[in-house]
Amino acid sequence: MVSRVIPVDDFDLVIFGGTGDLARRKILPGLYRRYCSGQMPDQARIIGAARGDHDADEFRSMVRDAIKEFSKKNDCDDDKIEAFLKQLDFVSIDARGDKGWPELKGLMRDGVVKAFYFSVAPSLFGDIAERLHLNEIADAQSRIVVEKPFGRDLESAKALNKDLAKHFEETQIYRIDHYLGKETVQNLMAIRFGNILFEPLWNSQYVDHIQITVAETVGVGGRGEYYDKSGAMRDMVQNHLMQLLCLIAMEPPARFEPDSVRDEKLKVIRALEPVDPHHIVRGQYAATESEADYRTDAGDPRSRTESYVALRAMISNWRWAGTPFYLRTGKKLKARTSEIAVVFKDAPHSIFGPDAGRHRNILSIRVQPNEGITMQVTIKEPGPGGMRLIDVPLDMTFAEALGEEAEDIPDAYERLIMDVIRGNQTLFMRGDEVEAAWAWTDPIIQGWELRNDVPKPYDVGSSGPEDALMMMHRDGRRWREIKE
Ligand code: NAP
């Protein structure tokens, strides 16, 4: 199988924050990969923009280093890198001042797609949008890409939406949630809506519950100060986990088109019940002999910010009434994994008698690592001795199923940037979706703040706080093991 690469139209892409961490780690190496695949036209241009006084050659040299540091080894071909770098330029610009804007205007071409990636702090989004407009750099066809976090509560998200809406239509705004760019996440839609097999069972009559786990082994690293103002609820649940929940729970959209898909996701968020305080657990990782605790990493000995959340979400609609969705995410857990598990109900009657034990079908969708899908099915244990049942996995690991082609699967950022150039908003969050997600998470966070809630400690390398296990236990269920 050879993957099909369809080149995008010619474009000028300006990356505000082009010298920052995200640009160096993800955006620029991602664009280089798209260049190597033949998807990026030879005339297309990428213009880095930041306050630093660099010239274009210094910027290219920084990008060369970034590609070598952050791309896979066999992606790095010196000739290709040099050819890619020729498509780069740089302008020294101040988002809050006058410096650099006329130069940027002078660099932009007419008649090509113009995209502006705001890879800067959200406090600068409004300033950049305004200056792009005042300097007549953006036009009605231009696109802007904004990074997370999109607000820290409903009020700030509304204010950001309002700032952007002063100068750009909703159809021009691409709010990134990179989880939506992941191959398996899109596969979730292919599995649900491309097969007749699952959809008839995809409801509370057949599904006992669903677990969504995003577990990390890393701590807050160098991002302690930023993370401590945010916590797992704002940093992970409000965006990534809720997006996964929407894709699992939404009704089939009429078409795979931006507003069809986003309308259905919005309906899910609006149907979420307020979370029962007995069904939410916050945690903070505790020190071990060799590792510091969260508070030390965050630089605040009295921090009450959570590095772990587990909660039970209920959706009040015809399809899902009574089926719990258990969400959990945390740092410094025992393994790095993102998984969605659809746990089906027991068969209505066991013809094999009580000795056969309890067996359930589980559809597990692994988002990362080892992307793939496993269906747990029940079969007879081979051999003589009567009818004993065992569970076996029907396994489709993409790397095995797709062979060499799996190597070419674009990373989430690559895919999403190409979608921006193509003008396809399907995998980006709409303003009302983001606001609805905050409207659901705000009362939870406010409740913690009002009660001065102290997160429960959990051991580094564990599955999270004991209370999260108990929460499941009380519901007569068990978390799936966190493993790679
Ligand atoms: P960063 O490393 O601090 O980089 C910030 C960039 O913005 C630098 O290039 C900086 O260059 C530029 N900048 C700062 N003030 C500016 C101004 N007034 N005018 C023009 N440029 C200015 O930040 P980052 O980690 O790349 O994050 C960028 C955005 O992505 C943030 O919204 C962040 O929340 C989001 N994000 C980051 C990650 C990640 O892994 N890093 C992941 C998800 C989302 P100068 O100082 O030279 O101006």
Side-chain angles (χ1 to χ4, degrees):
M1 272 192 293
V2 177
S3 50
R4 260 181 325 138
V5 173
I6 304 168
V8 294
D9 291 340
D10 192 8
F11 65 84
D12 281 352
L13 169 66
V14 180
I15 308 173
F16 291 99
T19 55
D21 179 65
L22 183 68
R24 290 175 55 256
R25 280 194 309 113
K26 291 287 180 189
I27 305 172
L28 288 155
L31 283 160
Y32 165 67
R33 282 228 334 149
R34 291 297 89 208
Y35 170 82
C36 295
S37 77
Q39 195 166 21
M40 195 174 130
D42 287 341
Q43 316 84 318
R45 286 181 334 160
I46 298 159
I47 301 164
R51 286 169 306 180
D53 256 332
H54 313 288
D55 61 24
D57 279 338
E58 283 166 1
F59 180 60
R60 289 187 191 116
S61 162
M62 185 212 82
V63 176
R64 183 185 296 115
D65 293 346
I67 292 172
K68 292 196 168 167
E69 187 175 351
F70 297 111
S71 292
K72 282 187 237 148
K73 282 252 163 346
N74 44 0
D75 278 348
C76 292
D77 170 323
D78 283 342
D79 291 342
K80 280 192 186 150
I81 294 178
E82 293 313 312
F84 170 74
L85 294 179
K86 289 204 177 97
Q87 299 189 229
L88 267 54
D89 214 328
F90 183 80
V91 57
S92 174
I93 208 164
D94 185 356
R96 291 217 161 112
D98 296 331
K99 179 181 149 190
W101 293 95
E103 288 77 7
L104 178 59
K105 185 174 164 68
L107 285 176
M108 303 298 290
R109 295 173 297 161
D110 288 330
V112 299
V113 173
K114 290 181 197 156
F116 302 93
Y117 199 129
F118 295 10
S119 181
V120 292
S123 54
L124 297 176
F125 291 176
D127 295 295
I128 296 177
E130 187 178 8
R131 280 168 177 74
L132 284 173
H133 173 75
L134 290 178
N135 290 283
E136 296 178 348
I137 296 172
D139 56 34
Q141 280 73 47
S142 302
R143 288 133 212 192
I144 59 170
V145 185
V146 293
E147 264 298 335
K148 84 165 199 184
F150 198 86
R152 55 175 283 106
D153 52 21
L154 178 58
E155 198 187 327
S156 53
K158 277 187 174 168
L160 267 183
N161 274 334
K162 217 165 140 194
D163 278 349
L164 298 180
K166 282 184 201 154
H167 307 295
F168 294 92
E169 299 291 331
E170 183 60 36
T171 50
Q172 296 179 278
I173 305 172
Y174 292 71
R175 294 175 194 77
I176 285 223
D177 184 323
H178 73 273
Y179 263 63
L180 293 178
K182 289 179 185 284
E183 186 72 11
T184 334
V185 173
Q186 291 167 65
N187 229 319
L188 195 56
M189 285 184 275
I191 291 165
R192 282 196 60 193
F193 306 125
N195 296 286
I196 198 161
L197 202 60
F198 299 112
E199 203 49 29
L201 306 178
W202 212 261
N203 55 55
S204 57
Q205 198 182 341
Y206 296 102
V207 176
D208 179 73
H209 73 277
I210 288 170
Q211 295 188 20
I212 301 177
T213 301
V214 178
E216 297 176 288
T217 48
V218 293
V220 290
R223 293 170 69 223
E225 203 185 320
Y226 157 79
Y227 188 91
D228 202 47
K229 293 194 195 87
S230 156
M233 192 72 184
R234 288 191 172 99
D235 193 49
M236 297 297 289
V237 178
Q238 186 273 344
N239 37 61
H240 307 319
L241 276 85
M242 283 189 74
Q243 287 296 317
L244 297 179
L245 170 82
C246 286
L247 296 180
I248 284 277
M250 71 183 181
E251 295 300 315
R255 280 170 293 281
F256 189 57
E257 282 177 1
D259 280 336
S260 284
V261 172
R262 299 187 301 176
D263 285 347
E264 296 307 335
K265 289 199 299 175
L266 180 62
K267 284 185 211 160
V268 173
I269 303 175
R270 288 194 173 149
L272 283 167
E273 292 175 13
V275 176
D276 167 1
H278 294 105
H279 279 103
I280 184 156
V281 175
R282 313 165 73 208
Q284 218 181 46
Y285 56 84
T288 61
E289 267 179 26
S290 55
E291 302 214 42
D293 64 353
Y294 170 81
R295 291 174 175 189
T296 308
D297 285 352
D300 176 358
R302 286 187 303 195
S303 170
R304 292 188 169 181
T305 302
E306 75 285 354
S307 59
Y308 175 99
V309 180
L311 63 86
R312 187 182 83 172
M314 301 297 290
I315 301 173
S316 276
N317 66 15
W318 195 280
R319 184 189 284 262
W320 291 118
T323 298
F325 286 69
Y326 296 99
L327 275 48
R328 68 178 159 165
T329 181
K331 293 195 175 291
K332 291 239 175 171
L333 294 175
K334 66 191 280 198
R336 171 178 172 257
T337 182
S338 297
E339 184 209 53
I340 300 161
V342 181
V343 182
F344 290 91
K345 290 187 173 171
D346 295 350
H349 165 68
S350 171
I351 64 168
F352 306 108
D355 292 347
R358 188 183 199 190
H359 298 274
R360 281 187 158 176
N361 296 128
I362 300 174
L363 178 70
S364 150
I365 299 145
R366 292 186 309 279
V367 179
Q368 67 185 22
N370 309 324
E371 290 91 335
I373 294 153
T374 307
M375 183 80 199
Q376 178 177 295
V377 292
T378 303
I379 61 164
K380 177 186 171 298
E381 191 177 320
M387 186 63 97
R388 289 186 308 272
L389 303 183
I390 52 167
D391 294 324
V392 290
L394 284 181
D395 199 358
M396 195 190 89
T397 303
F398 289 169
E400 283 166 24
L402 302 177
E404 278 180 15
E405 204 172 346
E407 289 277 305
D408 294 334
I409 292 176
D411 149 274
Y413 275 93
E414 295 173 40
R415 178 190 308 269
L416 293 174
I417 297 170
M418 290 299 107
D419 278 357
V420 173
I421 306 299
R422 275 195 288 256
N424 184 349
Q425 287 185 303
T426 310
L427 300 175
F428 295 84
M429 295 181 296
R430 208 169 53 192
D432 50 3
E433 236 184 288
V434 179
E435 289 184 14
W438 281 121
W440 185 70
T441 41
D442 266 9
I444 301 172
I445 298 169
Q446 284 160 2
W448 292 335
E449 285 168 359
L450 270 176
R451 291 194 305 275
N452 240 335
D453 190 76
V454 181
K456 304 277 185 281
Y458 62 93
D459 291 340
V460 170
S462 71
S463 302
E466 196 64 23
D467 287 39
L469 305 182
M470 292 309 293
M471 178 184 98
M472 272 301 226
H473 187 68
R474 284 197 307 273
D475 281 8
R477 301 185 174 97
R478 265 200 314 214
W479 288 109
R480 283 168 63 75
E481 195 188 337
I482 294 179
K483 60 176 181 195
E484 277 198 9

